[in-house]
């Protein structure tokens, strides 16, 4: 199984939307690992921002659910495990 480009873009957009305009300059989905035996998707992404990391942490509430919805019906049975990296010093 593989995640198609449309679903990947929906995931990226869901992450951007979660943090709100002006908080995050860009989001890059670096890797998605499909762990079929555990029904998990490990999603590694990078956030480019100059915002305080505490604000990023507060804004991440509900992100997993938004990513699940963005993945669509095909991935409904899989739980997304989100792992982020923050690149600071980028003007948002």
């Amino acid at each position: 199984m593989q995640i198609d480009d449309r679903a990947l873009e929906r995931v990226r957009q869901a992450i951007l939307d979660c943090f709100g305009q002006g908080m995050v300059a860009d989001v890059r989905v670096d890797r998605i690992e499909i762990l079929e035996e555990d029904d998990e998707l490990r999603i590694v992404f990078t956030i480019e921002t100059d915002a305080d990391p505490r604000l990023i942490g507060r804004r991440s509430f509900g992100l997993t659910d938004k990513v699940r919805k963005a993945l669509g019906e095909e991935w409904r049975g899989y739980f997304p495990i989100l792992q982020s990296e923050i690149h600071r010093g980028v003007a948002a």
Side-chain angles (χ1 to χ4, degrees), residues 35-60:
L35 306 170
E36 291 186 44
E37 63 278 355
D38 297 324
D39 295 329
E40 294 177 351
L41 298 172
R42 186 169 311 278
I43 302 171
V44 180
F45 62 95
T46 301
I47 296 172
E48 295 182 6
T49 185
D50 64 352
D52 185 321
R54 292 174 292 193
L55 291 174
I56 296 290
R58 283 187 223 136
R59 287 282 188 92
S60 64

